[in-house]
Amino acid sequence: MPYWRLASFYFFYFGSLGALMPYWGLYLQERGFSALAIGQLVAILLATKIVAPNVWGWLADRQGRRMPIVRLASLLSAIAFLAVFVADGLAEMALVMVLFSFFWNASLPQMEAATFSHLGARVNRYASIRLWGSIGFILAVGLVGIGRQHLGNEVVPLVVLALYVGVWLSTLAVPEGRAVVHAEESPSLAGLLRRPEIQAFLASGLLMQMSHGAYYAFYSIYLEEAGYGSLAIGGLWAWAVAIEVLVFLGMHRMLDVFGARRILLATFVLAVARWLLIGAFIAVPTVQILAQALHAATFGAFHAAAIHLAYHYFPGRTQGRGQALYNSASFGVGGAGGALASGVLWTTLGASVTFVLCAGVAALGGLLVWGWVDRGRRF
């Protein structure tokens, strides 16, 4: 198994996420965009996950090869991102974000499927590779935080571009996974999607990411308005992902002991607590440290358990499209819907009420898991 070559992709990919998500709202705010516009632009970043993974997933499943698609998508995302530096106004910035995020969001689901093909029967070891994405995220958050303090927000797109190039270079070293022999009696994707437990699984992923909408779009802005400096903001984001690394290190054992269903249920309970803590106690640093530590559950543990379930729910030729559907439903529909809604709520009801509503969305997702996902069975 090409462990370090796979790990390098996750390192750069989630490093680019670490440079983008915590600081993109602040960068857009400095360029004169309103809260509503920022919500719309962040929603675009996430909305392309609805279409892009499915288009590229269909192509990969049809061709039976994933790495050429991952390499092409990674290269085109870096090229398209160059237009950020010259985009002027909401319409131009929106168009640029549609272009680069369409390609950027195409690569991860196919790399997830390629990683599992390299893992073979050792699927529980996925988390030990994915943790390098968390390490990349932490380093990028720290680098940009220091850069902002000395150079301002102009450093944000420069670091993002450099990391996009790193993503593309890392894909050149990853070999194609082992070919999978698909049984003729493998279920159809349409048949799988008629199963209530799979519908509930996808809907719960949508609701979990929808509950993160205000967090991704406005948390850094909320912190800055409460008096936190650039290093403190970066430190809180880095702390969240540092705790997440510990979860990834022990995730294969947790899946063996508790199973994906119980882990998912716990993450929704902790998501409710997290959004309430952020909304009510933004000015209390110790509470924010605790709330950010819960990122290990609401993103790290949730994502690892969900990817594990998606691998089992979508076998054979449905694997690429299944991973793409999970990404589209959760990060695409859920993330975009959450960002759009939070942009409206932020300007009309305020930050605290917005995070209370995010907690309600997370509670609804937990009810779906409790009622339908893998009852009486455990992966």
Side-chain angles (χ1 to χ4, degrees):
M1 179 181 69
Y3 178 89
W4 290 109
R5 285 176 282 178
L6 292 169
S8 68
F9 172 87
Y10 288 93
F11 179 86
F12 285 109
Y13 187 92
F14 286 95
S16 67
L17 194 65
L20 190 71
M21 294 306 294
Y23 303 109
W24 197 243
L26 292 167
Y27 171 73
L28 293 173
Q29 185 181 54
E30 185 173 274
R31 291 194 54 174
F33 293 99
S34 67
L36 182 60
I38 291 171
Q40 292 170 340
L41 289 170
V42 173
I44 287 172
L45 190 67
L46 299 169
T48 53
K49 287 178 177 287
I50 301 170
V51 177
N54 292 292
V55 171
W56 296 88
W58 173 83
L59 185 60
D61 282 344
R62 186 176 180 85
Q63 292 185 343
R65 301 178 66 211
R66 307 191 188 282
M67 289 315 301
I69 289 173
V70 174
R71 294 177 189 123
L72 177 62
S74 300
L75 175 60
L76 292 177
S77 65
I79 293 172
F81 188 80
L82 288 170
V84 164
F85 297 95
V86 297
D88 184 26
L90 179 60
E92 288 187 14
M93 183 62 77
L95 177 59
V96 172
M97 291 184 67
V98 166
L99 289 174
F100 84 75
S101 62
F102 178 81
F103 298 115
W104 183 55
N105 288 327
S107 59
L108 181 60
Q110 300 314 311
M111 180 57 79
E112 301 275 34
T115 298
F116 276 112
S117 72
H118 284 292
L119 287 171
R122 298 167 294 177
V123 294
N124 283 0
R125 300 308 302 270
Y126 163 80
S128 68
I129 296 174
R130 172 60 181 80
L131 72 87
W132 286 99
S134 300
I135 294 172
F137 188 102
I138 293 168
L139 293 176
V141 165
L143 177 63
V144 176
I146 294 171
R148 284 185 71 241
Q149 193 172 38
H150 297 286
L151 302 173
N153 284 312
E154 292 79 6
V155 75
V156 175
L158 292 172
V159 176
V160 172
L161 177 61
L163 289 168
Y164 278 1
V165 173
V167 171
W168 172 62
L169 292 175
S170 71
T171 65
L172 301 179
V174 178
E176 189 70 46
R178 292 189 297 269
V180 178
V181 178
H182 304 296
E184 290 183 2
E185 64 274 13
S186 294
S188 68
L189 184 63
L192 291 172
L193 292 177
R194 285 194 289 269
R195 290 169 53 182
E197 63 179 4
I198 293 181
Q199 294 172 359
F201 165 67
L202 294 173
S204 69
L206 183 156
L207 291 170
M208 175 60 92
Q209 294 309 315
M210 180 175 285
S211 80
H212 282 70
Y215 173 72
Y216 287 133
F218 296 109
Y219 184 56
S220 294
I221 293 173
Y222 197 21
L223 288 171
E224 193 164 76
E225 290 175 349
Y228 293 79
S230 180
L231 289 180
I233 293 171
L236 282 169
W237 280 88
W239 162 248
V241 184
I243 298 298
E244 179 186 295
V245 171
L246 300 179
V247 170
F248 279 126
L249 284 171
M251 196 63 201
H252 66 284
R253 296 185 186 90
M254 292 172 63
L255 284 167
D256 287 339
V257 174
F258 299 107
R261 171 182 166 82
R262 291 177 182 174
I263 292 172
L264 288 182
L265 284 171
T267 63
F268 278 104
V269 172
L270 294 173
V272 172
R274 186 185 186 194
W275 307 140
L276 292 177
L277 289 173
I278 289 176
F281 302 102
I282 190 65
V284 184
T286 53
V287 174
Q288 294 310 303
I289 291 171
L290 173 61
Q292 284 296 80
L294 295 179
H295 188 73
T298 67
F299 180 82
F302 177 85
H303 180 65
I307 287 291
H308 188 80
L309 276 174
Y311 174 77
H312 288 283
Y313 277 152
F314 299 101
R317 292 189 182 277
T318 66
Q319 181 64 210
R321 285 170 292 165
Q323 295 287 356
L325 276 171
Y326 162 68
N327 273 270
S328 296
S330 57
F331 297 98
V333 178
L340 279 174
S342 66
V344 175
L345 294 171
W346 202 269
T347 57
T348 56
L349 300 178
S352 297
V353 175
T354 299
F355 275 106
V356 169
L357 293 175
C358 288
V361 171
L364 181 58
L367 289 175
L368 284 178
V369 174
W370 179 79
W372 284 279
V373 177
D374 279 349
R375 296 197 63 164
R377 181 173 53 170
R378 199 183 75 183
F379 285 127

